[in-house]
Amino acid sequence: EGGNIGVGFAIPIEQVEITTDQILRTGEAQYPVIGANVQGTETLDGAKVESIAAGSPASRSDLKVGDLIVKVDGKPVTGSIDVVVAVRAHQPGEKVTLTVRRGGKEQDIVVGLEAKTG
């Protein structure tokens, strides 16, 4: 049985315009990625880095598997979706600042964004 559990997703109009333009010009669209897989926590206190792809921007940064991302560009993160939304608000080639908790301490890590086609 279907229903609404009160969760909604919105795509900023700017992203729609960029994606539409890319598809019309090239037949495909690109979006930014850092090259890390993250998983939300049960306590909604961030997104844990589960893996980092070899050769990705994340692998070239100080980001480590096990880090807990608690902010992206100064905005709090409660789960993995927050990280994806924050990254996709940028363009490939830009950089984001991830605030991570590691060993009980927080630190900022700057990660570049590369393009993924999809």
Side-chain angles (χ1 to χ4, degrees):
E1 183 174 322
N4 182 334
I5 60 171
V7 176
F9 297 95
I11 301 171
I13 190 64
E14 294 84 5
Q15 185 61 49
V16 172
E17 291 169 344
I18 290 167
T19 301
T20 302
D21 180 60
Q22 288 178 351
I23 291 171
L24 291 173
R25 281 186 300 105
T26 67
E28 59 188 21
Q30 294 185 329
Y31 57 93
V33 296
I34 62 173
N37 289 319
V38 296
Q39 178 70 42
T41 65
E42 289 183 16
T43 55
L44 303 176
D45 60 347
K48 184 178 177 186
V49 178
E50 296 289 323
S51 65
I52 297 174
S56 69
S59 72
R60 295 187 295 273
S61 74
D62 291 330
L63 193 65
K64 306 286 184 214
V65 171
D67 283 349
L68 184 68
I69 300 172
V70 295
K71 294 179 188 172
V72 178
D73 291 332
K75 296 178 183 160
V77 167
T78 59
S80 59
I81 291 174
D82 291 343
V83 175
V84 172
V85 169
V87 167
R88 292 220 178 156
H90 293 274
Q91 294 300 311
E94 295 180 351
K95 295 180 180 183
V96 294
T97 300
L98 306 177
T99 303
V100 301
R101 191 173 302 137
R102 181 189 301 161
K105 296 181 181 179
E106 288 188 7
Q107 68 182 69
D108 288 340
I109 298 173
V110 177
V111 181
L113 303 175
E114 67 183 8
K116 183 167 184 176
T117 301

